[in-house]
Amino acid sequence: MDQIVNVDEFQELAKQALPKMYYDFYNGGAEDQHTLNENVQAFRRIMFRPRVLVDVSKIDMSTKILGYPISAPIMIAPTGNHKLAHLEGETATAKAAAACNTIMIVSYMSSCTFEEIASSCNAVRFLQIYVYKRRDITAQVVKRAEKAGFKAIVLTVDVPRLGRREADIKNKMISPQLKNFEGLFSTEVRPSKGSGVQAFASRAFDASFSWKDIEWLRSITELPILVKGILTREDALKAVEAGVDGIIVSNHGGRQLDYSPATITVLEEVVQVVRGRIPVLLDGGVRRGTDVFKALALGAQAVLIGRPMIYGLAAKGEDGVKKVIDMLKNEFEITMALSGCPTIDDITRNHVRTENERLHSML
């Protein structure tokens, strides 16, 4: 593993380690996969404006999210079915997150139970949820999360229906039975054609859930609520007005609406309308420590990594996840030093130049 020097190399190892159906499930996006690819490419069009002759002999990457300290602004995004990547599933991911002193957002579609993950190690964890047609199931899951010591609820809001993921349709991807829903309803669907994941989602998810229902969610939990899936200033404002405790700028890793914008390109408009009232996080396309810096310069408090962590898990289990996080942290630390930023607070909008600004300067 010492020869692996970046996240892309872990992706290649994961491709070799996983059956094609599972690799395609983790790696694929919706339809033409334009948004999936643009998430990564958009970061590459942002340039640095580094400052020199600053004392960077000590670099402090630490920050706080909802008051919880983490070693660097790099968290683990919610992704489902980790046991398809590694036998230890989410417990391996959780242990790696704890070892790296960061927050893992556990997916509602986790292949390990919430209780198994909670007891695997001592760490701060959030739980991501969807709202099901049967609200009592969502309520039960939220109560279990509270009892298991989870510290926040992350409501994913961009899946009234599942995006059209053509690789899963071709592969006839099977949705495995999930232990968290045993005794509540079956999550196993074996379709005669197409994706089992899509068949399960259309049967279970509540497409009628809307802004007014945030109040219902707040009524069943004392935990902070973050909304994941915001891509416009209009919805960011609605989220603030609904009284949520945080926003995650996300396009579901390019797996939902293709040709929705790359998250890094809309981060700033969300940050501007939120005006510091609640934290704004970002996921989608983060593959380098330089990407982390760019997101913070444009106003994010932290980034979430999804696929890179899955690649590490598939290739090398818990150690692979740790290595991915450590690589990103090391790259981020070097970027801070070379940009003249000894602390997170020193990273400002003046440290980056977006593509629009470059084009404008040419006119």
Side-chain angles (χ1 to χ4, degrees):
M1 200 154 59
D2 290 343
Q3 287 77 41
I4 302 168
V5 295
N6 61 48
V7 166
D8 288 343
E9 292 179 2
F10 262 118
Q11 180 173 356
E12 194 50 45
L13 287 180
K15 189 173 185 179
Q16 294 165 21
L18 291 171
K20 183 178 187 299
M21 177 188 286
Y22 296 164
Y23 177 77
D24 288 351
F25 168 67
Y26 289 128
N27 191 58
E31 297 186 352
D32 297 326
Q33 303 193 128
H34 173 83
T35 297
L36 171 71
N37 295 316
E38 187 64 9
N39 270 350
V40 175
Q41 295 301 324
F43 273 107
R44 296 178 179 174
R45 294 192 289 270
I46 299 170
M47 296 291 126
F48 291 125
R49 299 184 70 250
R51 306 303 302 274
V52 297
L53 293 177
V54 177
D55 181 356
V56 289
S57 55
K58 292 188 177 69
I59 299 290
D60 182 4
M61 297 184 288
S62 65
T63 188
K64 288 183 178 179
I65 301 298
L66 297 184
Y68 297 106
I70 52 177
S71 60
I74 303 166
M75 297 164 55
I76 292 186
T79 52
N81 292 299
H82 287 200
K83 281 196 174 179
L84 300 183
H86 191 273
L87 282 174
E88 291 178 31
E90 284 80 3
T91 58
T93 312
K95 288 174 186 172
C100 295
N101 189 20
T102 193
I103 295 168
M104 174 185 180
I105 304 177
V106 175
S107 170
Y108 208 30
M109 311 301 282
S110 162
S111 46
C112 297
T113 68
F114 309 134
E115 292 79 9
E116 284 170 342
I117 298 165
S119 62
S120 67
C121 55
N122 186 27
V124 173
R125 278 174 220 94
F126 300 167
L127 179 69
Q128 175 265 340
I129 66 166
Y130 298 101
V131 173
Y132 283 148
K133 290 172 182 173
R134 279 184 54 191
R135 295 281 176 91
D136 61 307
I137 291 175
T138 300
Q140 283 187 52
V141 169
V142 168
K143 289 300 172 196
R144 280 174 58 195
E146 288 179 338
K147 194 173 177 185
F150 285 73
K151 301 300 184 189
I153 298 296
V154 175
L155 174 66
T156 293
V157 294
D158 57 2
V159 191
R161 293 175 63 177
L162 204 69
R164 195 168 182 277
R165 303 165 192 175
E166 293 179 359
D168 290 348
I169 295 168
K170 279 184 181 175
N171 292 331
K172 293 184 168 55
M173 175 66 194
I174 302 297
S175 179
Q177 182 69 38
L178 297 172
K179 291 163 72 176
N180 282 303
F181 302 105
E182 283 176 1
L184 295 174
F185 65 87
S186 173
T187 56
E188 190 169 22
V189 179
R190 292 182 178 273
S192 57
K193 59 181 180 178
S195 162
V197 181
Q198 194 165 25
F200 163 68
S202 63
R203 190 185 72 186
F205 293 170
D206 184 357
S208 74
F209 194 84
S210 62
W211 285 110
K212 63 180 171 34
D213 297 307
I214 298 285
E215 196 150 332
W216 168 79
L217 184 59
R218 188 169 292 292
S219 75
I220 65 166
T221 183
E222 298 286 312
L223 295 177
I225 297 168
L226 295 90
V227 170
K228 177 179 179 287
I230 302 293
L231 290 171
T232 64
R233 63 170 62 86
E234 293 90 343
D235 281 344
L237 193 56
K238 280 182 178 290
V240 172
E241 289 168 351
V244 304
D245 301 284
I247 285 172
I248 301 173
V249 176
S250 172
N251 54 34
H252 217 101
R255 294 162 76 81
Q256 279 300 102
L257 178 63
D258 202 16
Y259 296 91
S260 58
T263 49
I264 192 65
T265 66
V266 295
L267 171 62
E268 214 169 3
E269 73 171 74
V270 171
V271 167
Q272 284 168 358
V273 80
V274 169
R275 299 203 318 269
R277 288 173 284 184
I278 54 176
V280 176
L281 314 180
L282 173 135
D283 77 3
V286 175
R287 299 292 183 271
R288 286 280 189 184
T290 48
D291 298 338
V292 181
F293 187 100
K294 290 170 185 177
L296 266 65
L298 293 174
Q301 273 195 249
V303 301
L304 280 53
I305 57 165
R307 288 184 180 88
M309 170 271 303
I310 286 288
Y311 299 146
L313 181 67
K316 299 290 180 182
E318 179 187 337
D319 287 341
V321 179
K322 278 195 286 200
K323 176 81 171 176
V324 164
I325 297 170
D326 284 340
M327 281 193 303
L328 291 172
K329 282 170 69 172
N330 289 339
E331 291 173 2
F332 178 54
E333 184 176 10
I334 291 167
T335 306
M336 286 178 66
L338 295 179
S339 297
C341 298
T343 73
I344 296 291
D345 289 340
D346 294 312
I347 301 172
T348 70
R349 181 62 178 81
N350 286 328
H351 285 96
V352 293
R353 196 178 195 195
T354 63
E355 183 183 30
N356 284 343
E357 288 168 327
R358 291 207 315 279
L359 293 173
H360 186 70
S361 69
M362 293 176 193
L363 297 176

